[in-house]
Amino acid sequence: MNWNMLLFVVFPYVAIVVAIVGTVYRLVRRPFTVSSLSSQLLEGRQLFWGSVPFHWGLVLILLAHFLALILPGLFNVWNRSPIRLYALEITGLALALWALFGLGMLIYRRVSVSKIRAVTTPMDLVVLGLVLLQVITGILIATVYRFGSYWGTDVFVPYVQSLFILQPRPELVAPLPFILQFHASLFFVFLVVFPFSRLVHMITLPLRYLTRPFQLVKWVRRDRPAEPEREPVGVGR
Amino acid sequence: MRRWLRTGFVVGAIAMAWFSAPASSAQETPDGREVYLASCAACHQGTGVGVPGSFPPLVDNPNVADAEYIRDVILNGKSGPIDVNGVTYDAEMPAQPQLSDAEIDAVISYIQAGVFIPADTVPVGEGGAAVGEKLFLGRTGLENGGPACHACHSAGTHSDLGGPTLGPDLTDLALRYGGSDAVAAALANPPSATMQPIFADKPLTDQERADLGAYFGSIRTYTDVQVDLLWILGLAGAAILLGVMFVFPKRNRINYLRQLRSRS
């Protein structure tokens, strides 16, 4: 048993089991905790500049990772033309940098706004730290070891597929640079953390929101403290 | 407080596991065959027969009996013409500073044992540089499904946007190996540890090796990248995405509740 076996064969399977068992347990036994516990009511302005780039950037990049996993041939055909390869890589890097900006905003907001700090759990900070590490290593890989969208389909995709068919091939990952191994094994850390953190909100899709009527949320107290940019109330409509 | 301590403990344990990893993996006994395939076979061939005119054979080579000679060549490299069994070979061998003492010992034993991979490589025929260039880029897929060279390597003028940089630049590959034929022969046993597991069940065909060899032999110019366009365009893209966010009306950004209240 060497470290490569431990990190890329044993750990992935342990992580997958923990993620599935933990998530099912939480969904069944603690269904109302399956949420990211929005703090939008506590602070909304910084949240917009943090949450929108963070979520759109990362969701699109995650979808691209997932698509490469299930349809590697599509990426190979696309990348046959250097121009298309470059367009894909530039788009990916732009989304990652945009997401990094949003993530920085979210971290700043979480530590600087006292109301948000009050509702912050240690696990929230762990998640932010892990995402920060993963985004930074992703950007480093995209720029130092170009072009991941092309070689990834022949280095990482066969490795991940080998895990799924229970015939792991850790030798595919062993000779890769440290930062690539780090990025890959950090994904399995995410799986372990998944059921015990706000990350579980990823598997919830608010589809009912599309059809349900608007909700009007009213404060219990009589009025809110005056704010400079507050719009006039009751202008005759 | 206990929650913080508990989280800190878990984070600390994972971090320690990570940072102790490289130190312990170095203690394993290296396998001479693996070292040979990773560091020597690209030129001397998995079969140990070398490449005529360029790389000397290691089978039936009298110099191989001297372990210290082999060690010296591995550590310091070798250049200039060399005679083995009456045949002259003239290609530069770079020093292999990445090998540890244990790995060098293991590979010397492997070479001296003389039990190489059985010869089953067919002589390589004529290749076409234009066809090879398409194979390099991936415009023509490799017959056995292997990845295109351009996924990891830049070469010649194909280094726009900083070029692929997972593997080294291959512009002067033919020069280093001693010609197109040497490159074509070396491709039968891919030279790096990263390539070996990928190409193990997706080998290049003889014609593909010949075509790629011809392409690498035909490279005369290469683009020297001055400005890192990937970073510039990536940052520009991120700035555009941020700019798009300004399109949202300000009141939609902040507080939908406030709008509803002002309407009611």
Side-chain angles (χ1 to χ4, degrees), chain B residues 113-153:
Chain B
V115 188
F116 293 96
I117 295 170
D120 56 358
T121 44
V122 191
V124 168
E126 281 291 300
V131 182
E133 186 173 11
K134 285 184 180 163
L135 290 170
F136 174 85
L137 286 174
R139 284 190 194 278
T140 312
L142 296 173
E143 195 176 314
N144 293 325
C149 320
H150 192 50
C152 304
H153 300 281

Side-chain angles (χ1 to χ4, degrees), chain A residues 134-157:
Chain A
Q134 195 68 320
V135 172
I136 288 176
T137 50
I139 290 173
L140 281 177
I141 290 167
T143 53
V144 178
Y145 300 111
R146 304 170 193 193
F147 294 110
S149 66
Y150 209 170
W151 54 252
T153 55
D154 288 288
V155 178
F156 274 121
V157 172

Side-chain angles (χ1 to χ4, degrees), chain A residues 40 44 46-47 54 66 69 81 98 107 120 125 131 137 145 147 160 168 176 185 191 213 225 228 234 236:
Chain A
Q40 191 174 14
Q46 289 178 21
L47 185 71
F54 173 83
F66 184 66
L69 193 61
S81 150
W98 189 43
I107 293 174
T120 297
L125 298 183
V131 178
T137 50
Y145 300 111
F147 294 110
V160 179
L176 295 177
S185 58
L191 285 186

Side-chain angles (χ1 to χ4, degrees), chain B residues 36 40-64 69-70 73 77-94 111 116 176-178 182 185:
Chain B
Y36 181 82
C40 319
C43 301
H44 296 288
Q45 305 299 295
T47 54
V49 298
V51 173
S54 302
F55 312 120
L58 300 179
V59 274
D60 301 327
N61 182 338
N63 296 332
V64 163
Y69 172 80
I70 306 180
V73 174
K78 193 153 184 62
S79 55
I82 174 176
D83 269 7
V84 177
N85 299 330
V87 183
T88 307
Y89 300 87
D90 189 9
E92 191 175 343
M93 166 162 167
I111 291 169
F116 293 96
R176 282 189 283 129
Y177 274 32

Side-chain angles (χ1 to χ4, degrees), chain A residues 2-3 80 144 146 185 217, chain B residues 18 24 28 138 161 165 228 257:
Chain A
N2 57 27
W3 275 97
R80 278 177 187 180
V144 178
R146 304 170 193 193
S185 58
V217 181
Chain B
W18 248 109
S24 14
E28 289 160 28
L161 221 62
T165 46
D228 197 339
L257 169 70

Side-chain angles (χ1 to χ4, degrees), chain A residues 51-62 92 94-96 98-99, chain B residues 241:
Chain A
S51 185
V52 171
F54 173 83
H55 283 100
W56 279 102
L58 288 195
V59 165
L60 289 173
I61 287 172
L62 270 176
L95 285 171
W98 189 43
Chain B
L241 289 166

